[in-house]
Amino acid sequence: MFSKEEFQTWAKDNVVLFASIMTRIEGREDDALLKDYGFRGFPSMAILDGSGDAITKKVARELPAMKESVAACNAYAKTKAKVDAGEDVDPAEWFLTRLALGQFSVDEAKEAAAELELTESQKATYDKALLGLELDGLMASARNPAGQKAAAEAVYAFYKAGRVPAAGSQQESFFMAMLGSAADSKNDGDAYLVAGPHLLKQAKDALKRIEDMREGFKGDPKRIEEAIDRMKKQVTDIEAKLESFKKG
Amino acid sequence: MTIKTEWLSLLSLAIGALAGGTLQAQNSQDELQKKYEAKVHESWYTSGGWIDDFGAAKERARKENKVVFAYFTRSYSP
């Protein structure tokens, strides 16, 4: 992603790009910097302020969500500077800035929000951020079939309550995957028509990535062809379901 | 072989091993330096305007009122 023009153009105006390269060259300063931030493996990413303090260590890999994350970090850094300087800041805005960076658990966020008078606009921002935290929790628990089933039910309930994540957000893909699964099992055409286009795009993107791996693949070619066939079937199945639900 | 001869042989072996080990370590450091230089010549790094000096990155962030996008990677191994 770092080679893409879109990333480079955006980065030039919005961040200072710092590559912390561990070299194992003796005497090299800051050679094992990643350990100072609690990282154990490569690659890792973090957004830091001008003092080197980590603002967030959860950085999205997709550019739209990454831009959102950096915008939240910039807002945090600016507001924190005001707080540190003893200037007046709106407690609701400071709360929302920190919430956007995942500095609260779900319960802590609900408790803090209850103490504040949020405007309608701030309430909408709060709800989106709270949903993001709830989805993060579900993602962590959806590592086995039982967890995935529970996550699908929870996401379906969010959808029915009109709570959907922001387009391009980190949690959107997970939300749509779970919604698609729940909608399919409940035969809910309206819900499937919301999730289906996202699932189709994800499947087509995955198919393209696997097809691109053909050239230069050093393993057994049968394995990659089998993976391509499986993904093509997934694409066809999703298309068929969408068609069937559209016809009602 | 007399004791003195044996001792001299062992000493020679030890000196040889030390010299060889030191030479190997230097070759290894040279190799690491080459790998680092290859890393900072990769296109994502050169065309993206990345820097790998932490102090300089923090100073630039303060001057330009921006955050630092830190990417932790390595050059000693793929």
Side-chain angles (χ1 to χ4, degrees):
Chain A
M1 187 194 36
F2 296 152
S3 300
K4 289 186 178 169
E5 195 184 326
E6 195 192 346
F7 171 82
Q8 290 177 1
T9 304
W10 164 80
K12 196 175 160 199
D13 292 334
N14 290 281
V15 296
V16 173
L17 292 175
F18 165 60
S20 173
I21 304 172
M22 187 169 184
T23 67
R24 287 191 177 163
I25 295 170
E26 283 166 10
R28 188 171 176 269
E29 204 177 326
D30 292 326
D31 203 56
L33 198 58
L34 88 162
K35 289 180 188 172
D36 293 353
Y37 293 96
F39 290 125
R40 290 185 184 176
F42 302 102
S44 295
M45 294 188 285
I47 308 295
L48 315 175
D49 65 16
S51 306
D53 293 335
I55 300 174
T56 184
K57 294 195 288 185
K58 285 184 191 176
V59 182
R61 309 267 161 156
E62 299 297 324
L63 190 55
M66 184 187 284
K67 287 180 179 179
E68 211 177 273
S69 192
V70 167
C73 289
N74 271 318
Y76 173 85
K78 286 176 173 115
T79 309
K80 187 170 181 294
K82 288 183 184 173
V83 170
D84 291 346
E87 291 175 34
D88 279 338
V89 297
D90 176 1
E93 284 304 319
W94 182 222
F95 162 68
L96 292 173
T97 301
R98 292 169 60 208
L99 182 63
L101 292 172
Q103 292 188 7
F104 296 93
S105 67
V106 170
D107 290 338
E108 286 168 346
K110 287 178 177 173
E111 207 177 301
E115 306 276 312
L116 295 164
E117 283 182 26
L118 301 176
T119 63
E120 284 310 307
S121 166
Q122 287 171 338
K123 276 182 195 163
T125 305
Y126 161 69
D127 192 60
K128 281 273 190 249
L130 184 69
L131 178 61
L133 284 180
E134 288 168 312
L135 289 171
D136 283 345
L138 288 175
M139 266 196 275
S141 67
R143 294 183 197 279
N144 53 56
Q148 283 162 16
K149 193 174 174 195
E153 287 297 320
V155 163
Y156 187 73
F158 290 148
Y159 161 75
K160 291 305 256 185
R163 300 179 71 204
V164 293
S169 65
Q170 289 189 53
Q171 297 88 1
E172 189 188 30
S173 297
F174 171 76
F175 183 94
M176 292 301 172
M178 294 296 105
L179 181 62
S181 171
D184 194 15
S185 70
K186 294 171 191 303
N187 205 34
D188 183 336
D190 290 337
Y192 197 85
L193 289 172
V194 168
H198 293 269
L199 299 179
L200 186 59
K201 184 181 180 311
Q202 281 170 24
K204 284 182 172 177
D205 288 348
L207 175 59
K208 180 155 186 339
R209 277 197 300 272
I210 300 172
E211 284 172 337
D212 288 347
M213 280 167 65
R214 262 188 185 131
E215 197 179 312
F217 185 68
K218 292 185 172 125
D220 180 359
K222 245 197 209 174
R223 284 179 56 199
I224 209 163
E225 294 307 320
E226 281 167 5
I228 288 171
D229 287 342
R230 277 197 301 273
M231 199 47 65
K232 278 182 177 171
K233 186 178 181 311
Q234 204 172 333
V235 167
T236 308
D237 286 349
I238 296 169
E239 283 173 336
K241 272 194 193 119
L242 279 168
E243 204 47 48
S244 146
F245 281 125
K246 273 178 195 166
K247 284 178 183 165
Chain B
M1 201 187 276
T2 63
I3 291 172
K4 187 176 178 183
T5 310
E6 196 173 298
W7 183 83
L8 281 170
S9 296
L10 283 170
L11 183 61
S12 301
L13 274 170
I15 291 169
L18 185 62
T22 304
L23 183 60
Q24 196 172 37
Q26 184 55 46
N27 283 343
S28 178
Q29 285 294 298
D30 289 342
E31 196 53 44
L32 290 172
Q33 182 67 35
K34 280 180 191 160
K35 286 179 177 176
Y36 164 68
E37 280 161 22
K39 188 82 179 182
V40 297
H41 280 89
E42 287 175 1
S43 63
W44 66 270
Y45 186 92
T46 54
S47 64
W50 293 81
I51 51 178
D52 74 337
D53 181 327
F54 193 31
K58 286 185 287 187
E59 195 182 327
R60 208 171 117 193
R62 288 192 295 267
K63 261 191 199 153
E64 295 178 15
N65 207 21
K66 290 177 183 165
V67 293
V68 175
F69 184 106
Y71 172 60
F72 297 90
T73 183
R74 64 188 175 189
S75 58
Y76 61 86
S77 180

